[in-house]
Amino acid sequence: MEKVRKYIHDTIEEMRHRVSWPKYTELQNSSVLVLIGSVVFAIVVGLMDFLYDSTLSWFYNQF
């Protein structure tokens, strides 16, 4: 039990004093970048899906 208690204590100490947390503005900038990247990726995948669906529908309607 003592090992578990020491592990938890050491983990808390490391999270408080040794981890460098980003500033709020850095966090906002990173979040905006992830949001923009996700939207661009979704648009690209949506366009590819539309293109493949249109192409396959046209192909199957030929028969």
Side-chain angles (χ1 to χ4, degrees):
M1 187 68 180
E2 185 62 33
K3 288 183 179 182
V4 172
R5 190 171 297 148
K6 181 175 175 4
Y7 173 77
I8 292 172
H9 178 266
D10 289 346
T11 301
I12 291 171
E13 284 297 312
E14 185 165 344
M15 295 297 281
R16 283 187 181 162
H17 302 294
R18 296 184 186 147
V19 174
S20 61
W21 297 98
K23 296 195 181 343
Y24 187 70
T25 55
E26 293 173 352
L27 190 61
Q28 281 182 321
N29 291 338
S30 297
S31 298
V32 168
L33 186 62
V34 168
L35 179 64
I36 290 170
S38 297
V39 168
V40 168
F41 184 73
I43 290 171
V44 169
V45 170
L47 288 173
M48 288 173 51
D49 180 52
F50 177 75
L51 180 66
Y52 290 143
D53 182 51
S54 299
T55 304
L56 287 175
S57 294
W58 173 81
F59 180 75
Y60 289 139
N61 287 332
Q62 297 301 314
F63 298 106

